[in-house]
Amino acid sequence: MTAATKKPAHTVSVRELVEFVLRRGDLVTEREFVGSDRALAGIRGHQKIQRSRPAGYQTEIPVKYEVETTEFTLLIRGRIDGLFPGPGEMWLEEIKTVASFWDRTADPLHWAQARFYAFLHAREHSLPELTTLLTYLELKTGKITEFRQTFSFVELQEFFASTIAVYVDWLREQHHWCQLRNESVRQLAFPFPGYRAGQRELAVAAYRTLAKGGRLFLSAPTGIGKTISTLFPAVKALGVGKLERIFYLTARTIGRSVAEKAGADLRQGGVKLRTVTLTAREKVCVQSGQPCDPLTCPLALGYYDRVKPAIREALELQAINQANLDIVARKHQVCPFELSLDVSQWSDVVICDYNYVFDPKVYLRRHFSETSNHYGLLVDEAHNLVDRAREMFSADLNAADIVAVRKSLKQSVPRCARALGKLSDELRKLAIGSKVTGEMSEASDPAEELNLFPAKIPAKTALVKSEKGNAQVSQAIPEKLIALLEEALVETEAWLAQNQPATFREELLSLYFQLNSFQRTAEIYDDHFTTIIENNDGARVKLFCLDPSFLLRQSLDRSHAAVFFSATLTPIDYYRTLLGGEANDATLQLASPFPPDHLAVLIQDTIQTHFKGRSASLGKVADAIGATVQGRTGNYLVYFPSYQYLNSVLAEFQSRHPQIRCLVQQPTMTEAARADFLAAFWAKHPEILVGFAVLGGIFGEGIDLVGEHLIGAVIVGVGLPQLSIERDLIRDYFDQRNGDGFNYAYTFPGMNRVLQAVGRVIRSETDRGVVLLIDARFREPRYRRLFPAWWQTARVGDSAAIRQLTDVFWNKTY
């Protein structure tokens, strides 16, 4: 092996290199509404041009070039669209597709790409000069515009060298940083005095997966320290070159905060580590109260002229969180959201929401190309990803939304208005016959409710023709709807790309992305989807993802390794299946590191809490709650399957225990209201405090009330999701595939909510607490087999038994 091959190698595409070095001007241009959103049309456009060329014309020619430095190798890759090696004249072609509103001006970045390819080809074949075509195809009209220039090899070489020099300078700085980081990683020890029980086993399993590749599904109880136990081995793998970058993925803001703290703990231990947190655009915008409009935002205008110094300054911080990004962005007058994305390309750890990796509409294409990258994914609270993925992969169109926008622009943009009008009319036609049957009731157990759907989803190749409740269901997409959608997209794009200010621009832009999302989902639609057509509060067509596993697996294939972890991946085979895993993927289930007798799990299984029996249960439930919380003064949380049931029991509870202070979760709460709710649990007070909340809500998981801040929880019901068309379709789908549809649609997601709520109580080795589960179904084997093995349970038949056992528990000495 030569010395050269031992040097670190960095790979970059021609397009990425050119855009990083040479892109200038505003943040958003007409490019946002063409090529990137019309990938399939772009490919077809390329093929159309290529087929029209003379015999001997060569297409899709791969090229590569190595730039050797004393410290590393830069490998530049690309693909020449076309080459005509004619006897009289040789020419190289770069093809771009645009919309019909294109101003017929060649983009300097496109010329730069063409010149790069020209240099690479001229150098390889010792050509003194090369004619280059930059060809544009207007997608709607088919019109072709060609720009032709002949460059000498000397011109091409000088351009290539000057561009490469800038990129190599950035890479050299990055190389020096990685050397410093890797040396610090070699010295890094676990940042706490010791491992909790099971924690080292967790870290070892995570490292093995991250180093060799593949997927690990890990279920470990709350409080074991999953974040640091996965991030620590990931950083170790990063330091020895097993990973190129780490993505820590979360579903909630609290998860990002925990990951940031873990990064700080590692830096406190001596490691050099750049962590960047990606926060939603609307949450970091400094133009408070203003629409996100690049035509007027001063932070978007001229963004690329100012961004490189901002990137350099941000990278010096290492902990690149929202607050730090805001300071740097204001100093350099650049958009903080876009700055965070640009900084992520030079960072070691990217902390972000699931959608930046998995959502086909918004995933980070700058990181996740079609080929696999040497990235490690740490997927926190992975149980949330199942429904989040269904949401990401689904899309819907609502006629009312379209009509509202159409009214706003009818006079100003008549062509767009007509296209939107035809689309909304077609939606209404499709919805005819979807008779409204009233709102679906919330059901504690859908098996006990009216069976709205037949047992099987009929296999259909044409739209509908069996009704399911208040919706029509089909396994095909209405072809005419897609044609009209395409027409509306073209007209909407045409106006938006002109960058004209208007009062309706923001709502039209929002609708455009909704239409685009529907189109993208239609392109990936297969037998993992179904089509739902409703006429309930307006005509709506929804492309609903029943099984997200296939698409999640495609996303996972773009990375080297993934570790899915949660306190509640139970049953683990269910989550491994739906999260895109395979039978040979590793799993690990750990017991609680805390003494089992620190948690008393009482089961009141004589009270019926299903939907039809709730009105009769109010007094019994209120008494059971009262018996639990009066066992010892302190803070408690009580969880319910719905707000309606919560409020009914709350009224009964307060009438019986007016002296007990209660807090109540509301259906809509501001961040300040959420903070106030939790602050009450952190404050010291000499009274009983009972918080009433809903299962699966903002206080059902992700909150960390250690020690005396929470000493007990009551869970009312088995957590089943609300009865809906979608849930019953999931049930039917998995009944066909594995005969376990009800569990997949209802039981497993419901018990996950229960287990998450229980997990709020014991957060450390010294925590003690009591949990009461109220529901007659908790005595059934299908639920009891989902209880953690380390639970010590006791059945209680009435409130007197609850009070007796809680007294015994609290009076124990340790």
Side-chain angles (χ1 to χ4, degrees):
M1 182 177 291
T2 66
T5 58
K6 293 181 180 179
K7 288 188 294 189
H10 301 273
T11 302
V12 67
S13 71
V14 168
R15 178 174 178 172
E16 290 170 330
L17 190 155
V18 164
E19 290 201 348
F20 178 78
V21 175
L22 299 175
R23 192 168 187 181
R24 299 290 184 269
D26 302 341
L27 183 57
V28 177
T29 68
E30 68 277 3
R31 293 153 53 101
E32 295 296 316
F33 305 105
V34 290
S36 64
D37 290 323
R38 309 302 284 260
L40 184 59
I43 293 170
R44 291 171 178 167
H46 276 63
Q47 294 170 344
K48 177 181 178 180
I49 296 292
Q50 291 165 342
R51 286 194 298 268
S52 72
R53 295 315 187 193
Y57 179 86
Q58 301 171 17
T59 65
E60 306 299 328
I61 305 163
V63 293
K64 63 181 180 179
Y65 182 80
E66 289 188 358
V67 178
E68 291 285 350
T69 75
T70 57
E71 299 169 299
F72 58 85
T73 300
L74 172 62
L75 177 61
I76 304 168
R77 292 185 179 275
R79 193 175 293 273
I80 298 172
D81 290 335
L83 181 72
F84 181 65
E89 179 188 25
M90 172 181 288
W91 44 269
L92 177 147
E93 185 170 33
E94 175 73 7
I95 302 170
K96 299 296 180 183
T97 54
V98 294
S100 57
F101 46 83
W102 176 55
D103 64 3
R104 293 182 174 80
T105 301
D107 188 326
L109 289 179
H110 296 162
W111 265 126
Q113 291 178 53
R115 292 164 74 181
F116 251 63
Y117 287 126
F119 166 76
L120 296 175
H121 186 76
R123 178 187 176 279
E124 182 178 356
H125 296 277
S126 302
L127 303 176
E129 64 179 22
L130 183 59
T131 298
T132 304
L133 261 65
L134 179 55
T135 303
Y136 288 90
L137 170 66
E138 297 179 18
L139 291 173
K140 184 178 181 181
T141 65
K143 181 178 175 59
I144 297 172
T145 302
E146 295 179 356
F147 298 92
R148 181 184 296 257
Q149 277 189 271
T150 299
F151 300 100
S152 70
F153 179 75
V154 173
E155 290 177 301
L156 294 171
Q157 187 177 40
E158 289 177 351
F159 174 75
F160 180 86
S162 63
T163 307
I164 286 295
V166 175
Y167 196 77
V168 167
D169 281 345
W170 277 80
L171 272 187
R172 186 173 289 109
E173 290 184 23
Q174 180 70 3
H175 176 71
H176 292 163
W177 166 258
C178 290
Q179 287 182 314
L180 183 66
R181 179 200 68 199
N182 294 348
E183 179 59 32
S184 71
V185 170
R186 282 190 283 273
Q187 307 299 320
L188 178 66
F190 191 67
F192 296 101
Y195 290 96
R196 286 175 172 169
Q199 201 172 23
R200 190 177 187 282
E201 183 182 359
L202 187 163
V204 169
Y207 181 83
R208 286 174 178 165
T209 297
L210 293 165
K212 73 178 182 179
R215 294 176 284 267
L216 169 66
F217 295 84
L218 168 67
S219 183
T222 298
I224 200 172
K226 293 183 288 295
T227 298
I228 195 65
S229 301
T230 53
L231 189 57
F232 173 69
V235 170
K236 282 290 189 180
L238 183 74
V240 294
K242 299 295 185 180
L243 296 176
E244 177 185 346
R245 186 167 292 117
I246 301 163
F247 286 81
Y248 190 98
L249 310 178
T250 75
R252 298 171 185 265
T253 302
I254 186 65
R256 294 193 285 277
S257 300
V258 172
E260 288 175 344
K261 182 183 182 303
D265 290 336
L266 292 173
R267 280 188 288 270
Q268 186 69 26
V271 78
K272 305 293 184 182
L273 191 70
R274 288 171 174 165
T275 61
V276 60
T277 303
L278 305 185
T279 307
R281 185 191 301 267
E282 60 274 12
K283 291 187 177 181
V284 299
C285 182
V286 297
Q287 299 290 97
S288 180
Q290 300 297 317
C292 186
D293 188 349
L295 294 180
T296 59
C297 178
L299 306 185
L301 299 173
Y303 173 86
Y304 289 105
D305 301 329
R306 303 184 297 273
V307 70
K308 286 187 177 65
I311 295 173
R312 290 184 188 277
E313 183 170 336
L315 292 174
E316 293 175 1
L317 300 172
Q318 294 194 46
I320 312 166
N321 55 30
Q322 181 179 337
N324 288 336
L325 280 166
D326 183 62
I327 293 170
V328 175
R330 287 178 184 273
K331 176 179 175 181
H332 293 273
Q333 286 297 286
V334 293
C335 171
F337 175 74
E338 291 293 335
L339 175 62
S340 71
L341 299 183
D342 287 331
V343 167
S344 72
Q345 294 181 273
W346 306 94
S347 297
D348 306 312
V349 181
V350 181
I351 302 168
C352 59
D353 189 88
Y354 299 150
N355 63 344
Y356 290 102
V357 173
F358 297 115
D359 192 329
K361 299 178 282 294
V362 300
Y363 76 89
L364 297 174
R365 286 168 176 80
R366 66 183 70 204
H367 291 290
F368 298 96
S369 61
E370 294 304 315
T371 57
S372 177
N373 295 286
H374 234 63
Y375 297 153
L377 308 180
L378 305 180
V379 188
D380 187 19
E381 301 292 359
H383 61 277
N384 286 311
L385 183 56
V386 175
D387 283 339
R388 278 289 303 277
R390 285 195 177 106
E391 179 184 333
M392 292 174 193
F393 300 143
S394 301
D396 64 81
L397 289 179
N398 192 311
D401 295 338
I402 299 171
V403 170
V405 176
R406 179 179 177 272
K407 288 179 179 177
S408 299
L409 54 81
K410 186 175 182 180
Q411 300 301 321
S412 303
V413 195
R415 289 175 60 91
C416 185
R418 283 195 295 271
L420 293 175
K422 288 191 287 185
L423 180 61
S424 60
D425 287 345
E426 181 62 20
L427 283 169
R428 289 195 188 98
K429 290 177 184 177
L430 289 170
I432 292 175
S434 297
K435 184 178 180 182
V436 178
T437 59
E439 289 189 8
M440 295 214 173
S441 61
E442 175 207 351
S444 61
D445 190 338
E448 300 171 0
E449 302 296 318
L450 177 66
N451 184 12
L452 297 179
F453 300 166
K456 302 293 182 183
I457 301 176
K460 291 183 177 294
T461 56
L463 181 62
V464 197
K465 298 277 186 183
S466 68
E467 293 188 7
K468 294 196 168 192
N470 65 341
Q472 302 173 37
V473 176
S474 170
Q475 286 184 300
I477 306 175
E479 292 183 8
K480 187 176 180 180
L481 181 69
I482 298 302
L484 293 173
L485 173 69
E486 289 279 358
E487 182 181 340
L489 271 170
V490 169
E491 295 298 337
T492 304
E493 288 172 354
W495 187 85
L496 286 170
Q498 294 175 35
N499 288 338
Q500 297 181 18
T503 56
F504 55 80
R505 180 181 172 83
E506 185 179 6
E507 56 182 324
L508 180 60
L509 183 60
S510 177
L511 178 63
Y512 165 78
F513 286 123
Q514 186 180 354
L515 300 181
N516 190 265
S517 172
F518 195 92
Q519 182 198 48
R520 285 181 181 272
T521 302
E523 290 172 355
I524 60 174
Y525 189 100
D526 59 13
D527 59 0
H528 298 90
F529 288 78
T530 194
T531 302
I532 304 171
I533 304 174
E534 295 178 289
N535 191 18
N536 191 358
D537 296 328
R540 184 176 78 122
V541 174
K542 182 175 185 178
L543 308 181
F544 180 60
C545 179
L546 297 160
D547 178 2
S549 61
F550 177 71
L551 292 170
L552 284 173
R553 192 174 302 122
Q554 288 183 336
S555 299
L556 293 171
D557 288 343
R558 293 194 289 261
S559 292
H560 173 66
V563 178
F564 296 85
F565 55 98
S566 168
T568 56
L569 286 190
T570 304
I572 205 161
D573 288 342
Y574 159 79
Y575 284 102
R576 180 171 59 180
T577 297
L578 288 190
L579 291 174
E582 298 174 342
N584 60 349
D585 287 334
T587 63
L588 179 63
Q589 293 178 278
L590 297 174
S592 173
F594 310 132
D597 58 358
H598 279 201
L599 178 69
V601 181
L602 310 181
I603 302 174
Q604 172 30 303
D605 58 11
T606 65
I607 299 176
Q608 300 284 351
T609 73
H610 60 75
F611 186 75
K612 292 179 180 177
R614 286 182 185 172
S615 59
S617 72
L618 302 181
K620 295 178 182 178
V621 171
D623 284 343
I625 296 170
T628 303
V629 303
Q630 291 180 101
R632 182 188 174 198
T633 299
N635 300 334
Y636 297 83
L637 280 168
V638 184
Y639 296 97
F640 293 85
S642 72
Y643 284 103
Q644 181 179 358
Y645 195 19
L646 180 157
N647 288 321
S648 297
V649 173
L650 174 64
E652 194 72 28
F653 180 81
Q654 289 180 316
S655 69
R656 298 176 185 223
H657 305 282
Q659 78 285 3
I660 294 179
R661 181 186 173 197
C662 298
L663 296 177
V664 184
Q665 177 184 346
Q666 301 298 330
T668 57
M669 295 182 77
T670 64
E671 289 195 13
R674 297 178 189 180
D676 289 343
F677 186 99
L678 290 175
F681 285 82
W682 284 99
K684 291 184 178 180
H685 51 78
E687 59 187 345
I688 296 173
L689 174 66
V690 182
F692 284 71
V694 291
L695 279 168
I698 54 177
F699 303 120
E701 60 178 278
I703 59 171
D704 193 15
L705 297 171
V706 182
E708 296 296 310
H709 299 295
L710 184 70
I711 65 169
V714 178
I715 291 90
V716 182
V718 291
L720 296 181
Q722 184 174 338
L723 179 68
S724 67
I725 293 169
E726 288 84 357
R727 281 286 157 189
D728 271 13
L729 287 170
I730 294 169
R731 180 195 64 189
D732 295 347
Y733 173 90
F734 284 103
D735 268 343
Q736 286 187 8
R737 279 150 182 79
N738 59 19
D740 209 13
F742 185 82
N743 283 335
Y744 271 53
Y746 291 102
T747 306
F748 297 156
M751 272 302 292
N752 190 284
R753 296 176 178 180
V754 172
L755 296 174
Q756 278 291 328
V758 174
R760 300 313 95 206
V761 178
I762 301 295
R763 312 291 296 180
S764 73
E765 294 89 341
T766 58
D767 283 8
R768 296 180 63 210
V770 62
V771 166
L772 175 66
L773 306 181
I774 301 176
D775 196 296
R777 287 166 291 190
F778 281 125
R779 64 172 173 258
E780 297 176 12
R782 60 173 169 154
Y783 290 104
R784 297 189 69 85
R785 67 186 176 91
L786 299 177
F787 289 180
W790 56 274
W791 274 8
Q792 295 186 355
T793 62
R795 293 180 62 189
V796 287
D798 55 26
S799 295
I802 295 171
R803 187 60 185 271
Q804 179 184 5
L805 287 181
T806 55
D807 286 343
V808 170
F809 175 77
W810 290 121
N811 287 325
K812 281 183 181 179
T813 57
Y814 292 86

